[in-house]
Amino acid sequence: MSGIRPTGFLHLGNYFGAIQNYVKMQDEFECYFMVADLHSLTTHPDTSELKTNVYRVLAENIACGLDPDKVALYCQSHVYETAELYLYLNMLAYIGELEKTVTFKDKVRLHPENINAGLLTYPVLQTADIILHRASYVPVGKDQEQHLEMARNFSNRFNFRYGEIFPEPHAFNYNQVLVKVPSLDGSGKMSKSENQLATLFLADEDDLIRKKVMKAKTDNGPTENNSDKPDYIENIFGLMRLVSSEDVIAKFEHDYNHCVIRYGDMKKQLAEDMVSFISPIRNKVNDILNDEAYLKRVMQQGAEKARKSAKATMELVREAMGLHY
Ligand code: ADP
């Protein structure tokens, strides 16, 4: 089970941190993937663009290879059981631990004008989403590691108090380590709502991709053979490892280690490889977005599957909690 907030265009971080794993998992597991519209309300209370963004995230997931017939692909607010479980879990979550969450502290710093209770209990809502399907594997990027630890705490607490209902949820990535795709300016991660000029979106036009990549920070190159790479150079190599072929990567590693690297050439190559990776996805998204009736059907079908699973879990939860009079 996993989800993505409809707060803007999807980017390479979402792809390599999350969606790439969803697509592999759909052939191996029973999967639930959602557009997390309730989560987006914690930071984006203006709903005027929400519908457009929900449809876009759905289309982007499908364009990346998710098959709505194989998985439950749904919208979070269509599964009302989420709100009920969120309420019960809130009684098992302590203010102190919620206030210590890194993402909460970051958001307080960035948006001091809107520190709402939903933001504080964001990890509780996320736990409800996950355990509502009694999920074990949660494909997410590295930024979600702490939230998953909290999800384990909340669900273990439920099990301890009311009886063993939930399996332990764990962050999941096929490559063992969780991924963090860095922003092009080397400061933090690529993100939908922050740092947009340093983020490569799946919707970016070819020329914009080239422009963003060419602006990535570099320097005059190493002066000693086999020296360590500064973070911003390691980031460029990291991006190359995501989309370029092995011989291209090997060539630039070799050039770096022998102090003959030309960063202009490296960025040009990276830009072209990014264009080849992103442009087919972008074109597919645009085709899918033209068929609103199809996307509506996908959402309805997804909600039916997700509610069936959610209802079964909530029966167990109410029974375990003694709420059956
Ligand atoms: P954003 O931070 O861009 O708003 P979300 O919070 O909706 O994205 O996260 C959706 C998924 O994408 C999560 O699994 C998250 O871990 C993953 N993700 C987001 N940014 C990155 C990144 N830069 N690198 C790796 N994974 C990421």
Side-chain angles (χ1 to χ4, degrees):
M1 192 284 147
S2 195
I4 298 186
R5 291 179 303 152
T7 48
F9 296 92
L10 296 201
H11 52 81
L12 279 195
N14 300 132
Y15 183 88
F16 287 103
I19 300 177
Q20 190 184 40
N21 287 295
Y22 301 179
V23 173
K24 280 195 199 167
M25 288 175 96
Q26 68 184 346
D27 292 315
E28 212 182 317
F29 300 99
E30 181 186 331
C31 296
Y32 296 86
F33 297 122
M34 64 169 199
V35 183
D37 56 342
L38 300 178
H39 277 288
S40 70
L41 296 175
T42 61
T43 49
H44 294 64
D46 178 358
T47 53
S48 54
E49 302 204 350
L50 194 54
K51 182 177 172 193
T52 312
N53 285 337
V54 166
Y55 277 77
R56 170 161 280 282
V57 174
L58 278 176
E60 286 177 321
N61 272 287
I62 297 167
C64 289
L66 215 59
D67 179 345
D69 289 329
K70 288 187 188 163
V71 304
L73 179 58
Y74 62 100
C75 184
Q76 186 183 26
S77 63
H78 290 169
V79 181
Y80 312 128
E81 289 77 5
T82 311
E84 185 187 351
L85 186 54
Y86 171 55
L87 178 83
Y88 301 150
L89 292 175
N90 268 319
M91 320 304 181
L92 297 170
Y94 299 105
I95 297 276
E97 61 188 335
L98 294 170
E99 280 174 343
K100 273 194 271 175
T101 316
V102 174
T103 48
F104 175 68
K105 289 198 281 193
D106 284 348
K107 283 172 183 160
V108 167
R109 194 169 36 81
L110 288 170
H111 302 286
E113 75 295 346
N114 185 21
I115 310 170
N116 59 75
L119 204 55
L120 182 69
T121 56
Y122 191 107
V124 184
L125 179 56
Q126 200 173 4
T127 305
D129 296 324
I130 297 167
I131 69 177
L132 195 54
H133 304 297
R134 302 172 77 210
S136 307
Y137 299 127
V138 188
V140 285
K142 189 157 177 58
D143 56 315
Q144 293 293 326
E145 216 166 19
Q146 188 184 27
H147 287 182
L148 260 295
E149 193 185 325
M150 296 174 84
R152 282 193 291 282
N153 288 340
F154 301 146
S155 64
N156 284 338
R157 243 172 251 168
F158 182 99
N159 285 347
F160 182 70
R161 187 171 292 254
Y162 298 116
E164 288 284 327
I165 302 280
F166 300 113
E168 253 193 9
H170 286 270
F172 180 84
N173 187 298
Y174 273 98
N175 302 321
Q176 307 294 330
V177 283
L178 298 184
V179 173
K180 173 187 157 186
V181 178
S183 68
L184 284 164
D185 63 6
S187 71
K189 61 160 201 154
M190 286 194 186
S191 154
K192 278 194 238 96
S193 27
E194 320 286 341
N195 221 359
Q196 304 210 327
L197 279 176
T199 293
L200 290 169
F201 293 97
L202 301 178
D204 282 347
E205 294 293 336
D206 295 351
D207 283 347
L208 184 57
I209 298 171
R210 294 189 181 101
K211 205 165 123 195
K212 285 181 178 176
V213 172
M214 293 314 287
K215 277 177 98 171
K217 182 177 169 183
T218 51
D219 53 27
N220 293 330
T223 49
E224 270 178 47
N225 282 2
N226 302 314
S227 51
D228 286 342
K229 300 184 182 88
D231 284 352
Y232 49 92
I233 298 295
E234 177 52 38
N235 284 350
I236 299 179
F237 273 96
L239 290 169
M240 207 166 219
R241 280 181 216 115
L242 297 176
V243 293
S244 300
S245 66
E246 282 185 10
D247 48 323
V248 164
I249 300 162
K251 174 203 156 12
F252 287 104
E253 287 281 3
H254 172 274
D255 289 357
Y256 182 88
N257 287 331
H258 293 81
C259 302
V260 291
I261 190 155
R262 292 159 62 125
Y263 288 130
D265 290 351
M266 182 179 183
K267 288 196 282 187
K268 260 189 214 148
Q269 176 74 48
L270 176 62
E272 290 319 310
D273 292 342
M274 279 293 173
V275 166
S276 307
F277 179 79
I278 290 174
S279 65
I281 299 179
R282 181 188 65 223
N283 295 336
K284 234 187 245 173
V285 172
N286 291 337
D287 288 346
I288 298 170
L289 276 175
N290 282 331
D291 194 348
E292 196 175 314
Y294 164 71
L295 287 172
K296 222 175 183 147
R297 273 202 311 281
V298 164
M299 253 190 298
Q300 272 164 2
Q301 179 186 317
E304 271 166 35
K305 289 189 212 168
R307 290 202 69 196
K308 190 166 171 224
S309 149
K311 275 185 184 159
T313 302
M314 290 316 293
E315 296 280 325
L316 295 175
V317 166
R318 289 184 213 111
E319 183 71 27
M321 291 181 75
L323 301 172
H324 53 166
Y325 16 83

